[in-house]
Amino acid sequence: MTVDRLPPVAPEVTATLVEDLSPRLRKRLDAAVTKLGARPTHRDGDTVTIAVDDESELRLHAPGGVVATVDAVTCGCLLAPACVHRAAAACAAPTADPAPEPADRPSRAAPEPASATDPGSASSPEVASPAQRAAADALWSAGAAVLEAGVDGAGAVTRSTLLRAAHTARLRHLPRAAGAALSVVTLLRAARAGDPSYRTADLVTALAELLGTAHRVGTASGAELAAVRGAARRPYSPDGSLRLYGLFTEPVVTDSGHGGVRTWVAGSDGRLCTVGDVAPGGVGRALGVADRAVRLGDSALTHRELGRAGLAVSGATVSPDGRLGAGKGVKAVTARGAAWTEPPLAALWETPPAEQAARALRSASRYAAPDGGGSDLLFLDVELLGAVRESGGTCLLARCEGGMCVRLTVADDDPALAHRDNLTLLAAAPGARLRIIGRLVPALHPRLTLLACSHPTGEGTIDLGLDRLRRADLPDPAAPVHLAPLQPEGSGAHSPLYLLERRVEQTVPAGRAALGMLGDVTAETRRMRRAGLPTAAGLLTALCTSAAQRDRDLFGRLLPADTDGFATYWLAAARYTADVAESLCAAAWQPTQAR
């Protein structure tokens, strides 16, 4: 059985099933999850059946694709419903995303002020309510417990505590913190399952977002509190008539088992918008939806076709992150598109790369409120140089304006998608000049995930996740993959900041205890001070000291570890390294002659 074959389960359902277990069964829960994962499954409509043993079956009923109630998980064993199988199945399944609000449904931008008699209502715009602070404290404690245990110790019970805290936070109108908690749960599950797509850096980012947001709920006020609180709904506002030009279509595959596509379009003024179709289904659904008609008015265009055509829309509604609504009042008809070299699309490539990177960094900041709208996309004219081998695989090196070298990587390594194969073929075409669209990857050197490019023959464009290049499309079809020489990097690439970054990352897999056994870090702190990073040196010392500190009582017995204190030092170190890395990334994108 694989996770992809199980329907997503609502967070509160998993939390309730785990909480209802006896202490004895909770100790057996992780083993039960592993054992259940080896059993065969069968899907019949909205119901997935798992053969627990030769005589018993477990069923997950998912109307609409999501297991939304505790009663939807049933088991036929003799101990049911008090058995461990129901909770194990919920823990093995993906966590369901919150249900989206209808595009044409009115919504409030912020919750109404809390009343003195209703502790569960939303806070006033000025300060968080006591109920919100309590929910944030629960999220902080759950996140600190993950840091204490590490991935190896964060089993199903720890994850269910996070799910319960996330559900409570959503009820208290803290959707941003709740979403961060769900991301942590998803990444923990992927790490423990050995998912090849899992990256420790992703879990570091999610944990820092969770702890940082939970901490700021109690201290923020006014506009800052609104950003920390986030928005549960996507309020669509009327935008009149729009003339849209297709740019490209990208497949979307989420960790929660959802799949689909997102088609990017640009208005006459250069503003970017998206038309999406994402639902439970994984990569298979992403490939199939690309050839379905877009859900926008009466248009018969598929997503692939819209990425190269145009639309005339009347009664348009647009969310703050640039998503086009598909309400009943929206009318859309097919119109002529524009080439990337024609107005208005050509203007997207006229902004200098440094300015585009600065804009993308503001959007991709780990601790800023996401604004979407394509602000993390870069539009560059490049000359391909060839492949470059890295510790994480092979990427494509290209030269853009001002002689700057940019590393281009795949957006998704799933073999069902075309990203990796297309990148390999492009590496066999050194010297080719392409117009590309990529998404910024914050790094100490210019780096993008490659999403779309002009065709090597100069005719049309390629959606690199969906369309597949052929050898015949290259200028020299017989040319082998060309390895580009390593290019000199800026001074930031050799910054000793990594000495603190690796300690922040080491905490996540093995927990606080592993960091506490490192011993003396004087040599590392001395090196950072010499490089002009005294704050980093101080944070490393404080982090390792907090990890190793264990007090004893009068009888010599170890007292409980100070998980809150350690989490505070870890969060400070994670935020510091992120901020410095973003500054170094912005400097790396400056023109060569200006550095």
Side-chain angles (χ1 to χ4, degrees), residues 343-380:
L345 300 186
L348 296 171
W349 278 264
E350 294 175 0
T351 304
E355 293 184 21
Q356 295 190 53
R359 178 201 65 214
L361 276 173
R362 289 192 297 269
S363 169
S365 174
R366 303 181 188 191
Y367 308 105
D371 58 3
S375 53
D376 59 345
L377 298 181
L378 270 68
F379 303 83
L380 305 177

PDB file of all heavy atoms in Angstrom, residues 343-380:
ATOM      1  N   PRO A 343       4.399  42.548 -27.665  1.00  0.00           N
ATOM      2  CA  PRO A 343       3.724  43.188 -26.549  1.00  0.00           C
ATOM      3  C   PRO A 343       2.345  42.542 -26.350  1.00  0.00           C
ATOM      4  O   PRO A 343       1.749  42.056 -27.319  1.00  0.00           O
ATOM      5  CB  PRO A 343       3.608  44.651 -26.990  1.00  0.00           C
ATOM      6  CG  PRO A 343       3.722  44.632 -28.467  1.00  0.00           C
ATOM      7  CD  PRO A 343       4.592  43.452 -28.816  1.00  0.00           C
ATOM      8  N   PRO A 344       1.838  42.456 -25.107  1.00  0.00           N
ATOM      9  CA  PRO A 344       2.444  43.028 -23.899  1.00  0.00           C
ATOM     10  C   PRO A 344       3.402  42.083 -23.176  1.00  0.00           C
ATOM     11  O   PRO A 344       4.015  42.471 -22.194  1.00  0.00           O
ATOM     12  CB  PRO A 344       1.217  43.304 -23.032  1.00  0.00           C
ATOM     13  CG  PRO A 344       0.284  42.178 -23.376  1.00  0.00           C
ATOM     14  CD  PRO A 344       0.467  41.940 -24.854  1.00  0.00           C
ATOM     15  N   LEU A 345       3.546  40.836 -23.653  1.00  0.00           N
ATOM     16  CA  LEU A 345       4.366  39.853 -22.929  1.00  0.00           C
ATOM     17  C   LEU A 345       5.844  40.205 -22.965  1.00  0.00           C
ATOM     18  O   LEU A 345       6.573  39.945 -22.000  1.00  0.00           O
ATOM     19  CB  LEU A 345       4.139  38.451 -23.514  1.00  0.00           C
ATOM     20  CG  LEU A 345       2.699  37.916 -23.457  1.00  0.00           C
ATOM     21  CD1 LEU A 345       2.662  36.474 -23.942  1.00  0.00           C
ATOM     22  CD2 LEU A 345       2.133  38.015 -22.045  1.00  0.00           C
ATOM     23  N   ALA A 346       6.325  40.788 -24.050  1.00  0.00           N
ATOM     24  CA  ALA A 346       7.749  41.077 -24.177  1.00  0.00           C
ATOM     25  C   ALA A 346       8.255  41.976 -23.056  1.00  0.00           C
ATOM     26  O   ALA A 346       9.426  41.898 -22.661  1.00  0.00           O
ATOM     27  CB  ALA A 346       8.031  41.727 -25.534  1.00  0.00           C
ATOM     28  N   ALA A 347       7.379  42.818 -22.496  1.00  0.00           N
ATOM     29  CA  ALA A 347       7.794  43.738 -21.439  1.00  0.00           C
ATOM     30  C   ALA A 347       8.235  42.993 -20.174  1.00  0.00           C
ATOM     31  O   ALA A 347       9.014  43.526 -19.377  1.00  0.00           O
ATOM     32  CB  ALA A 347       6.653  44.696 -21.105  1.00  0.00           C
ATOM     33  N   LEU A 348       7.763  41.758 -19.984  1.00  0.00           N
ATOM     34  CA  LEU A 348       8.139  40.996 -18.792  1.00  0.00           C
ATOM     35  C   LEU A 348       9.627  40.690 -18.777  1.00  0.00           C
ATOM     36  O   LEU A 348      10.218  40.506 -17.697  1.00  0.00           O
ATOM     37  CB  LEU A 348       7.341  39.691 -18.734  1.00  0.00           C
ATOM     38  CG  LEU A 348       5.819  39.844 -18.578  1.00  0.00           C
ATOM     39  CD1 LEU A 348       5.141  38.487 -18.760  1.00  0.00           C
ATOM     40  CD2 LEU A 348       5.478  40.441 -17.225  1.00  0.00           C
ATOM     41  N   TRP A 349      10.254  40.613 -19.942  1.00  0.00           N
ATOM     42  CA  TRP A 349      11.677  40.292 -20.030  1.00  0.00           C
ATOM     43  C   TRP A 349      12.560  41.541 -20.035  1.00  0.00           C
ATOM     44  O   TRP A 349      13.782  41.418 -20.106  1.00  0.00           O
ATOM     45  CB  TRP A 349      11.951  39.469 -21.288  1.00  0.00           C
ATOM     46  CG  TRP A 349      11.646  38.013 -21.123  1.00  0.00           C
ATOM     47  CD1 TRP A 349      12.525  37.020 -20.806  1.00  0.00           C
ATOM     48  CD2 TRP A 349      10.379  37.370 -21.270  1.00  0.00           C
ATOM     49  NE1 TRP A 349      11.888  35.812 -20.734  1.00  0.00           N
ATOM     50  CE2 TRP A 349      10.561  35.994 -21.024  1.00  0.00           C
ATOM     51  CE3 TRP A 349       9.105  37.818 -21.587  1.00  0.00           C
ATOM     52  CZ2 TRP A 349       9.518  35.066 -21.087  1.00  0.00           C
ATOM     53  CZ3 TRP A 349       8.055  36.914 -21.633  1.00  0.00           C
ATOM     54  CH2 TRP A 349       8.266  35.555 -21.388  1.00  0.00           C
ATOM     55  N   GLU A 350      11.973  42.725 -19.967  1.00  0.00           N
ATOM     56  CA  GLU A 350      12.754  43.951 -20.044  1.00  0.00           C
ATOM     57  C   GLU A 350      13.256  44.434 -18.690  1.00  0.00           C
ATOM     58  O   GLU A 350      14.173  45.250 -18.630  1.00  0.00           O
ATOM     59  CB  GLU A 350      11.901  45.052 -20.712  1.00  0.00           C
ATOM     60  CG  GLU A 350      11.576  44.748 -22.168  1.00  0.00           C
ATOM     61  CD  GLU A 350      10.629  45.779 -22.782  1.00  0.00           C
ATOM     62  OE1 GLU A 350      10.235  46.730 -22.037  1.00  0.00           O
ATOM     63  OE2 GLU A 350      10.282  45.638 -23.972  1.00  0.00           O
ATOM     64  N   THR A 351      12.680  43.952 -17.593  1.00  0.00           N
ATOM     65  CA  THR A 351      13.139  44.339 -16.264  1.00  0.00           C
ATOM     66  C   THR A 351      14.487  43.674 -15.987  1.00  0.00           C
ATOM     67  O   THR A 351      14.645  42.465 -16.214  1.00  0.00           O
ATOM     68  CB  THR A 351      12.125  43.912 -15.193  1.00  0.00           C
ATOM     69  OG1 THR A 351      10.849  44.470 -15.504  1.00  0.00           O
ATOM     70  CG2 THR A 351      12.559  44.363 -13.812  1.00  0.00           C
ATOM     71  N   PRO A 352      15.486  44.403 -15.480  1.00  0.00           N
ATOM     72  CA  PRO A 352      16.796  43.809 -15.191  1.00  0.00           C
ATOM     73  C   PRO A 352      16.676  42.632 -14.213  1.00  0.00           C
ATOM     74  O   PRO A 352      15.845  42.658 -13.300  1.00  0.00           O
ATOM     75  CB  PRO A 352      17.577  44.966 -14.560  1.00  0.00           C
ATOM     76  CG  PRO A 352      16.918  46.198 -15.101  1.00  0.00           C
ATOM     77  CD  PRO A 352      15.474  45.857 -15.243  1.00  0.00           C
ATOM     78  N   PRO A 353      17.497  41.599 -14.392  1.00  0.00           N
ATOM     79  CA  PRO A 353      17.418  40.418 -13.517  1.00  0.00           C
ATOM     80  C   PRO A 353      17.548  40.753 -12.039  1.00  0.00           C
ATOM     81  O   PRO A 353      16.881  40.144 -11.203  1.00  0.00           O
ATOM     82  CB  PRO A 353      18.583  39.543 -14.005  1.00  0.00           C
ATOM     83  CG  PRO A 353      18.784  39.942 -15.428  1.00  0.00           C
ATOM     84  CD  PRO A 353      18.466  41.394 -15.495  1.00  0.00           C
ATOM     85  N   ALA A 354      18.415  41.713 -11.683  1.00  0.00           N
ATOM     86  CA  ALA A 354      18.599  42.058 -10.269  1.00  0.00           C
ATOM     87  C   ALA A 354      17.303  42.584  -9.654  1.00  0.00           C
ATOM     88  O   ALA A 354      16.962  42.248  -8.511  1.00  0.00           O
ATOM     89  CB  ALA A 354      19.720  43.081 -10.118  1.00  0.00           C
ATOM     90  N   GLU A 355      16.562  43.394 -10.400  1.00  0.00           N
ATOM     91  CA  GLU A 355      15.299  43.916  -9.892  1.00  0.00           C
ATOM     92  C   GLU A 355      14.263  42.797  -9.766  1.00  0.00           C
ATOM     93  O   GLU A 355      13.487  42.758  -8.802  1.00  0.00           O
ATOM     94  CB  GLU A 355      14.776  45.010 -10.815  1.00  0.00           C
ATOM     95  CG  GLU A 355      15.625  46.278 -10.831  1.00  0.00           C
ATOM     96  CD  GLU A 355      15.002  47.360 -11.697  1.00  0.00           C
ATOM     97  OE1 GLU A 355      13.778  47.290 -11.946  1.00  0.00           O
ATOM     98  OE2 GLU A 355      15.740  48.258 -12.132  1.00  0.00           O
ATOM     99  N   GLN A 356      14.246  41.894 -10.745  1.00  0.00           N
ATOM    100  CA  GLN A 356      13.315  40.773 -10.655  1.00  0.00           C
ATOM    101  C   GLN A 356      13.640  39.890  -9.448  1.00  0.00           C
ATOM    102  O   GLN A 356      12.734  39.439  -8.733  1.00  0.00           O
ATOM    103  CB  GLN A 356      13.384  39.934 -11.935  1.00  0.00           C
ATOM    104  CG  GLN A 356      12.928  40.654 -13.195  1.00  0.00           C
ATOM    105  CD  GLN A 356      12.792  39.693 -14.362  1.00  0.00           C
ATOM    106  OE1 GLN A 356      12.115  38.663 -14.257  1.00  0.00           O
ATOM    107  NE2 GLN A 356      13.436  40.004 -15.478  1.00  0.00           N
ATOM    108  N   ALA A 357      14.933  39.640  -9.212  1.00  0.00           N
ATOM    109  CA  ALA A 357      15.329  38.802  -8.087  1.00  0.00           C
ATOM    110  C   ALA A 357      14.978  39.455  -6.757  1.00  0.00           C
ATOM    111  O   ALA A 357      14.527  38.774  -5.819  1.00  0.00           O
ATOM    112  CB  ALA A 357      16.825  38.515  -8.155  1.00  0.00           C
ATOM    113  N   ALA A 358      15.164  40.777  -6.646  1.00  0.00           N
ATOM    114  CA  ALA A 358      14.820  41.480  -5.413  1.00  0.00           C
ATOM    115  C   ALA A 358      13.330  41.371  -5.126  1.00  0.00           C
ATOM    116  O   ALA A 358      12.907  41.144  -3.981  1.00  0.00           O
ATOM    117  CB  ALA A 358      15.251  42.938  -5.511  1.00  0.00           C
ATOM    118  N   ARG A 359      12.502  41.517  -6.181  1.00  0.00           N
ATOM    119  CA  ARG A 359      11.063  41.369  -6.018  1.00  0.00           C
ATOM    120  C   ARG A 359      10.699  39.948  -5.591  1.00  0.00           C
ATOM    121  O   ARG A 359       9.866  39.742  -4.693  1.00  0.00           O
ATOM    122  CB  ARG A 359      10.381  41.712  -7.333  1.00  0.00           C
ATOM    123  CG  ARG A 359       8.857  41.551  -7.322  1.00  0.00           C
ATOM    124  CD  ARG A 359       8.332  41.397  -8.738  1.00  0.00           C
ATOM    125  NE  ARG A 359       8.819  40.170  -9.345  1.00  0.00           N
ATOM    126  CZ  ARG A 359       9.109  40.028 -10.635  1.00  0.00           C
ATOM    127  NH1 ARG A 359       9.008  41.045 -11.453  1.00  0.00           N
ATOM    128  NH2 ARG A 359       9.522  38.866 -11.100  1.00  0.00           N
ATOM    129  N   ALA A 360      11.335  38.958  -6.209  1.00  0.00           N
ATOM    130  CA  ALA A 360      11.044  37.563  -5.882  1.00  0.00           C
ATOM    131  C   ALA A 360      11.472  37.225  -4.462  1.00  0.00           C
ATOM    132  O   ALA A 360      10.796  36.454  -3.771  1.00  0.00           O
ATOM    133  CB  ALA A 360      11.731  36.637  -6.879  1.00  0.00           C
ATOM    134  N   LEU A 361      12.590  37.781  -4.011  1.00  0.00           N
ATOM    135  CA  LEU A 361      13.045  37.522  -2.648  1.00  0.00           C
ATOM    136  C   LEU A 361      12.059  38.064  -1.626  1.00  0.00           C
ATOM    137  O   LEU A 361      11.811  37.444  -0.593  1.00  0.00           O
ATOM    138  CB  LEU A 361      14.430  38.134  -2.424  1.00  0.00           C
ATOM    139  CG  LEU A 361      15.619  37.283  -2.869  1.00  0.00           C
ATOM    140  CD1 LEU A 361      16.907  38.077  -2.760  1.00  0.00           C
ATOM    141  CD2 LEU A 361      15.710  36.013  -2.034  1.00  0.00           C
ATOM    142  N   ARG A 362      11.502  39.223  -1.906  1.00  0.00           N
ATOM    143  CA  ARG A 362      10.496  39.763  -0.984  1.00  0.00           C
ATOM    144  C   ARG A 362       9.280  38.857  -0.924  1.00  0.00           C
ATOM    145  O   ARG A 362       8.678  38.669   0.135  1.00  0.00           O
ATOM    146  CB  ARG A 362      10.078  41.163  -1.437  1.00  0.00           C
ATOM    147  CG  ARG A 362      11.146  42.223  -1.249  1.00  0.00           C
ATOM    148  CD  ARG A 362      10.572  43.617  -1.435  1.00  0.00           C
ATOM    149  NE  ARG A 362      10.072  43.835  -2.788  1.00  0.00           N
ATOM    150  CZ  ARG A 362      10.801  44.323  -3.780  1.00  0.00           C
ATOM    151  NH1 ARG A 362      12.085  44.631  -3.567  1.00  0.00           N
ATOM    152  NH2 ARG A 362      10.276  44.505  -4.980  1.00  0.00           N
ATOM    153  N   SER A 363       8.930  38.265  -2.059  1.00  0.00           N
ATOM    154  CA  SER A 363       7.779  37.361  -2.094  1.00  0.00           C
ATOM    155  C   SER A 363       8.083  36.031  -1.432  1.00  0.00           C
ATOM    156  O   SER A 363       7.229  35.456  -0.764  1.00  0.00           O
ATOM    157  CB  SER A 363       7.362  37.118  -3.549  1.00  0.00           C
ATOM    158  OG  SER A 363       6.423  36.076  -3.634  1.00  0.00           O
ATOM    159  N   ALA A 364       9.320  35.526  -1.614  1.00  0.00           N
ATOM    160  CA  ALA A 364       9.672  34.192  -1.129  1.00  0.00           C
ATOM    161  C   ALA A 364      10.189  34.201   0.293  1.00  0.00           C
ATOM    162  O   ALA A 364      10.592  33.159   0.797  1.00  0.00           O
ATOM    163  CB  ALA A 364      10.734  33.575  -2.045  1.00  0.00           C
ATOM    164  N   SER A 365      10.210  35.354   0.956  1.00  0.00           N
ATOM    165  CA  SER A 365      10.722  35.420   2.318  1.00  0.00           C
ATOM    166  C   SER A 365      10.009  34.410   3.197  1.00  0.00           C
ATOM    167  O   SER A 365       8.792  34.267   3.170  1.00  0.00           O
ATOM    168  CB  SER A 365      10.522  36.827   2.895  1.00  0.00           C
ATOM    169  OG  SER A 365      10.885  36.854   4.253  1.00  0.00           O
ATOM    170  N   ARG A 366      10.756  33.703   4.016  1.00  0.00           N
ATOM    171  CA  ARG A 366      10.178  32.645   4.831  1.00  0.00           C
ATOM    172  C   ARG A 366       9.203  33.176   5.885  1.00  0.00           C
ATOM    173  O   ARG A 366       8.366  32.435   6.396  1.00  0.00           O
ATOM    174  CB  ARG A 366      11.293  31.872   5.544  1.00  0.00           C
ATOM    175  CG  ARG A 366      12.321  31.281   4.591  1.00  0.00           C
ATOM    176  CD  ARG A 366      13.383  30.521   5.344  1.00  0.00           C
ATOM    177  NE  ARG A 366      14.465  30.117   4.441  1.00  0.00           N
ATOM    178  CZ  ARG A 366      15.425  29.273   4.771  1.00  0.00           C
ATOM    179  NH1 ARG A 366      15.453  28.749   5.957  1.00  0.00           N
ATOM    180  NH2 ARG A 366      16.368  28.956   3.916  1.00  0.00           N
ATOM    181  N   TYR A 367       9.348  34.448   6.246  1.00  0.00           N
ATOM    182  CA  TYR A 367       8.567  34.957   7.354  1.00  0.00           C
ATOM    183  C   TYR A 367       7.639  36.094   6.953  1.00  0.00           C
ATOM    184  O   TYR A 367       7.015  36.709   7.793  1.00  0.00           O
ATOM    185  CB  TYR A 367       9.507  35.424   8.477  1.00  0.00           C
ATOM    186  CG  TYR A 367      10.484  34.347   8.820  1.00  0.00           C
ATOM    187  CD1 TYR A 367      11.812  34.425   8.424  1.00  0.00           C
ATOM    188  CD2 TYR A 367      10.068  33.202   9.474  1.00  0.00           C
ATOM    189  CE1 TYR A 367      12.697  33.407   8.716  1.00  0.00           C
ATOM    190  CE2 TYR A 367      10.939  32.182   9.761  1.00  0.00           C
ATOM    191  CZ  TYR A 367      12.257  32.284   9.382  1.00  0.00           C
ATOM    192  OH  TYR A 367      13.134  31.272   9.655  1.00  0.00           O
ATOM    193  N   ALA A 368       7.562  36.406   5.654  1.00  0.00           N
ATOM    194  CA  ALA A 368       6.643  37.436   5.186  1.00  0.00           C
ATOM    195  C   ALA A 368       5.323  36.795   4.800  1.00  0.00           C
ATOM    196  O   ALA A 368       5.258  35.630   4.442  1.00  0.00           O
ATOM    197  CB  ALA A 368       7.238  38.180   3.994  1.00  0.00           C
ATOM    198  N   ALA A 369       4.269  37.580   4.878  1.00  0.00           N
ATOM    199  CA  ALA A 369       2.964  37.072   4.440  1.00  0.00           C
ATOM    200  C   ALA A 369       2.995  36.858   2.937  1.00  0.00           C
ATOM    201  O   ALA A 369       3.369  37.754   2.184  1.00  0.00           O
ATOM    202  CB  ALA A 369       1.866  38.061   4.802  1.00  0.00           C
ATOM    203  N   PRO A 370       2.661  35.655   2.448  1.00  0.00           N
ATOM    204  CA  PRO A 370       2.723  35.407   1.005  1.00  0.00           C
ATOM    205  C   PRO A 370       1.733  36.283   0.254  1.00  0.00           C
ATOM    206  O   PRO A 370       0.593  36.439   0.642  1.00  0.00           O
ATOM    207  CB  PRO A 370       2.343  33.918   0.899  1.00  0.00           C
ATOM    208  CG  PRO A 370       1.578  33.624   2.148  1.00  0.00           C
ATOM    209  CD  PRO A 370       2.119  34.525   3.212  1.00  0.00           C
ATOM    210  N   ASP A 371       2.202  36.873  -0.860  1.00  0.00           N
ATOM    211  CA  ASP A 371       1.316  37.710  -1.654  1.00  0.00           C
ATOM    212  C   ASP A 371       1.008  37.109  -3.010  1.00  0.00           C
ATOM    213  O   ASP A 371       0.100  37.549  -3.698  1.00  0.00           O
ATOM    214  CB  ASP A 371       1.906  39.113  -1.826  1.00  0.00           C
ATOM    215  CG  ASP A 371       3.284  39.103  -2.481  1.00  0.00           C
ATOM    216  OD1 ASP A 371       3.738  38.012  -2.851  1.00  0.00           O
ATOM    217  OD2 ASP A 371       3.888  40.178  -2.612  1.00  0.00           O
ATOM    218  N   GLY A 372       1.748  36.067  -3.419  1.00  0.00           N
ATOM    219  CA  GLY A 372       1.436  35.376  -4.666  1.00  0.00           C
ATOM    220  C   GLY A 372       1.518  36.293  -5.865  1.00  0.00           C
ATOM    221  O   GLY A 372       2.316  37.208  -5.944  1.00  0.00           O
ATOM    222  N   GLY A 373       0.659  36.033  -6.838  1.00  0.00           N
ATOM    223  CA  GLY A 373       0.587  36.870  -8.020  1.00  0.00           C
ATOM    224  C   GLY A 373       1.778  36.745  -8.945  1.00  0.00           C
ATOM    225  O   GLY A 373       1.986  37.606  -9.799  1.00  0.00           O
ATOM    226  N   GLY A 374       2.555  35.675  -8.827  1.00  0.00           N
ATOM    227  CA  GLY A 374       3.674  35.474  -9.735  1.00  0.00           C
ATOM    228  C   GLY A 374       4.883  36.317  -9.430  1.00  0.00           C
ATOM    229  O   GLY A 374       5.799  36.400 -10.253  1.00  0.00           O
ATOM    230  N   SER A 375       4.927  36.958  -8.257  1.00  0.00           N
ATOM    231  CA  SER A 375       6.064  37.815  -7.941  1.00  0.00           C
ATOM    232  C   SER A 375       7.346  37.031  -7.718  1.00  0.00           C
ATOM    233  O   SER A 375       8.417  37.624  -7.627  1.00  0.00           O
ATOM    234  CB  SER A 375       5.756  38.676  -6.716  1.00  0.00           C
ATOM    235  OG  SER A 375       5.323  37.874  -5.636  1.00  0.00           O
ATOM    236  N   ASP A 376       7.259  35.704  -7.607  1.00  0.00           N
ATOM    237  CA  ASP A 376       8.468  34.898  -7.453  1.00  0.00           C
ATOM    238  C   ASP A 376       8.973  34.362  -8.790  1.00  0.00           C
ATOM    239  O   ASP A 376       9.944  33.597  -8.827  1.00  0.00           O
ATOM    240  CB  ASP A 376       8.216  33.732  -6.493  1.00  0.00           C
ATOM    241  CG  ASP A 376       7.096  32.812  -6.956  1.00  0.00           C
ATOM    242  OD1 ASP A 376       6.321  33.213  -7.847  1.00  0.00           O
ATOM    243  OD2 ASP A 376       6.994  31.693  -6.421  1.00  0.00           O
ATOM    244  N   LEU A 377       8.352  34.754  -9.906  1.00  0.00           N
ATOM    245  CA  LEU A 377       8.785  34.313 -11.227  1.00  0.00           C
ATOM    246  C   LEU A 377       9.801  35.288 -11.810  1.00  0.00           C
ATOM    247  O   LEU A 377       9.700  36.499 -11.621  1.00  0.00           O
ATOM    248  CB  LEU A 377       7.597  34.199 -12.182  1.00  0.00           C
ATOM    249  CG  LEU A 377       6.505  33.183 -11.826  1.00  0.00           C
ATOM    250  CD1 LEU A 377       5.425  33.193 -12.897  1.00  0.00           C
ATOM    251  CD2 LEU A 377       7.074  31.790 -11.656  1.00  0.00           C
ATOM    252  N   LEU A 378      10.794  34.741 -12.520  1.00  0.00           N
ATOM    253  CA  LEU A 378      11.788  35.554 -13.214  1.00  0.00           C
ATOM    254  C   LEU A 378      11.708  35.265 -14.713  1.00  0.00           C
ATOM    255  O   LEU A 378      11.507  34.109 -15.120  1.00  0.00           O
ATOM    256  CB  LEU A 378      13.204  35.271 -12.704  1.00  0.00           C
ATOM    257  CG  LEU A 378      13.681  36.134 -11.516  1.00  0.00           C
ATOM    258  CD1 LEU A 378      12.899  35.794 -10.261  1.00  0.00           C
ATOM    259  CD2 LEU A 378      15.164  35.937 -11.275  1.00  0.00           C
ATOM    260  N   PHE A 379      11.887  36.304 -15.512  1.00  0.00           N
ATOM    261  CA  PHE A 379      11.810  36.215 -16.969  1.00  0.00           C
ATOM    262  C   PHE A 379      13.168  36.648 -17.517  1.00  0.00           C
ATOM    263  O   PHE A 379      13.539  37.828 -17.419  1.00  0.00           O
ATOM    264  CB  PHE A 379      10.696  37.112 -17.492  1.00  0.00           C
ATOM    265  CG  PHE A 379       9.334  36.799 -16.912  1.00  0.00           C
ATOM    266  CD1 PHE A 379       8.955  37.315 -15.681  1.00  0.00           C
ATOM    267  CD2 PHE A 379       8.446  35.981 -17.593  1.00  0.00           C
ATOM    268  CE1 PHE A 379       7.712  37.035 -15.137  1.00  0.00           C
ATOM    269  CE2 PHE A 379       7.202  35.689 -17.060  1.00  0.00           C
ATOM    270  CZ  PHE A 379       6.829  36.213 -15.827  1.00  0.00           C
ATOM    271  N   LEU A 380      13.927  35.709 -18.090  1.00  0.00           N
ATOM    272  CA  LEU A 380      15.301  35.976 -18.487  1.00  0.00           C
ATOM    273  C   LEU A 380      15.573  35.522 -19.918  1.00  0.00           C
ATOM    274  O   LEU A 380      14.978  34.541 -20.397  1.00  0.00           O
ATOM    275  CB  LEU A 380      16.284  35.251 -17.552  1.00  0.00           C
ATOM    276  CG  LEU A 380      16.171  35.514 -16.047  1.00  0.00           C
ATOM    277  CD1 LEU A 380      17.168  34.649 -15.291  1.00  0.00           C
ATOM    278  CD2 LEU A 380      16.390  36.988 -15.737  1.00  0.00           C
TER     279      LEU A 380
END
